[in-house]
Amino acid sequence: AQSVTQPDIHITVSEGASLELRCNYSYGATPYLFWYVQSPGQGLQLLLKYFSGDTLVQGIKGFEAEFKRSQSSFNLRKPSVHWSDAAEYFCAVGTGGGNKLTFGTGTQLKVEL
Amino acid sequence: DTAVSQTPKYLVTQMGNDKSIKCEQNLGHDTMYWYKQDSKKFLKIMFSYNNKELIINETVPNRFSPKSPDKAHLNLHINSLELGDSAVYFCASSRGTRADNEQFFGPGTRLTVL
């Protein structure tokens, strides 16, 4: 069965600093990988996704993620964080058989001004 | 606006009651989902419907009964509510059931069982 691990429950960064959120997955086949963001009291918004091809994918709001098959990782990065990036970030793996998304436990990002 | 909408946004009720949450999408999608987010923010799929047909049922208690009257609507009825049902319930939709079909999420319904 597939699983997703986000090792960092909370991360605090200063505005303008770089950011990396970690995600490791376990899945027997080629994974479909996603990063979602959830702002307080809101639903989930897709930041970016990886299906195949170039292992560095660009998303919205200046985010990017790199797929590393050898490390089973799909880490999310942003070169310069803005205060409005404070939110909960979820990594997920998608599988066929109904398009089931399995989520990690999330990383809460706080941004210090 | 094209979107996934849910009603109500907040629901507070007593243990033992029966309640329903409604979801509608106007994206023309064929597939809809219900997810549960617990107090620790953990998100887990509950059900998925494709063209009104149930395709995913993730060992959810049978007190939970989804109903899809048409492709644009997926409602969730919960019988005999328990304290542990308190959570945020998210509806989502996607074009189809392929793993590369992006899921669009609604704003969530926060259910509190007293």
Side-chain angles (χ1 to χ4, degrees):
Chain A
Q2 65 276 9
S3 65
V4 178
T5 301
Q6 294 180 244
D8 305 305
I9 298 174
H10 299 101
I11 283 186
T12 301
V13 299
S14 299
E15 189 175 37
S18 63
L19 171 70
E20 182 169 30
L21 302 183
R22 297 184 290 165
C23 172
N24 293 96
Y25 69 90
S26 172
Y27 184 56
T30 300
Y32 292 85
L33 296 163
F34 305 81
W35 274 100
Y36 282 86
V37 61
Q38 183 180 21
S39 298
Q42 303 296 314
L44 282 81
Q45 181 182 24
L46 181 68
L47 284 176
L48 46 78
K49 57 193 176 187
Y50 171 78
F51 298 150
S52 64
D54 192 346
T55 56
L56 183 63
V57 293
Q58 303 296 321
I60 62 171
K61 304 185 180 187
F63 285 92
E64 66 178 26
E66 186 171 13
F67 171 63
K68 293 185 178 180
R69 184 184 298 275
S70 61
Q71 298 177 19
S72 297
S73 68
F74 188 55
N75 294 348
L76 182 71
R77 300 195 294 249
K78 186 170 185 177
S80 178
V81 169
H82 188 261
W83 64 266
S84 59
D85 293 324
E88 191 88 21
Y89 291 80
F90 293 95
C91 181
V93 61
T95 60
N99 193 8
K100 173 182 171 181
L101 277 179
T102 299
F103 285 89
T105 49
T107 297
Q108 185 176 54
L109 173 66
K110 293 185 179 179
V111 180
E112 290 181 333
L113 300 175
Chain B
D1 287 338
T2 55
V4 180
S5 58
Q6 297 178 227
T7 54
K9 190 170 175 62
Y10 300 96
L11 186 53
V12 181
T13 188
Q14 301 287 332
M15 268 197 312
N17 284 350
D18 303 337
K19 290 293 178 185
S20 292
I21 307 172
K22 296 186 175 182
C23 177
E24 177 181 2
Q25 55 93 5
N26 58 5
L27 297 166
H29 289 166
D30 286 345
T31 310
M32 297 184 73
Y33 313 79
W34 278 112
Y35 287 85
K36 179 181 180 180
Q37 185 175 47
D38 64 23
S39 58
K40 296 185 179 179
K41 298 285 185 76
F42 183 61
L43 268 160
K44 186 168 165 54
I45 191 167
M46 301 172 69
F47 301 103
S48 171
Y49 270 73
N50 185 60
N51 285 323
K52 303 193 297 175
E53 183 179 337
L54 180 67
I55 55 171
I56 294 177
N57 183 344
E58 285 287 300
T59 61
V60 178
N62 56 17
R63 297 183 297 103
F64 290 78
S65 52
K67 283 188 173 51
S68 183
D70 55 58
K71 288 197 308 183
H73 296 85
L74 179 62
N75 304 323
L76 183 65
H77 187 75
I78 315 170
N79 289 325
S80 304
L81 278 156
E82 301 177 356
L83 292 176
D85 298 331
S86 295
V88 180
Y89 292 85
F90 286 100
C91 178
S93 73
S94 65
R95 186 168 47 194
T97 58
R98 288 166 48 110
D100 59 349
N101 289 159
E102 178 184 344
Q103 294 186 28
F104 294 80
F105 284 78
T109 295
R110 181 175 292 277
L111 171 64
T112 303
V113 182
L114 304 175

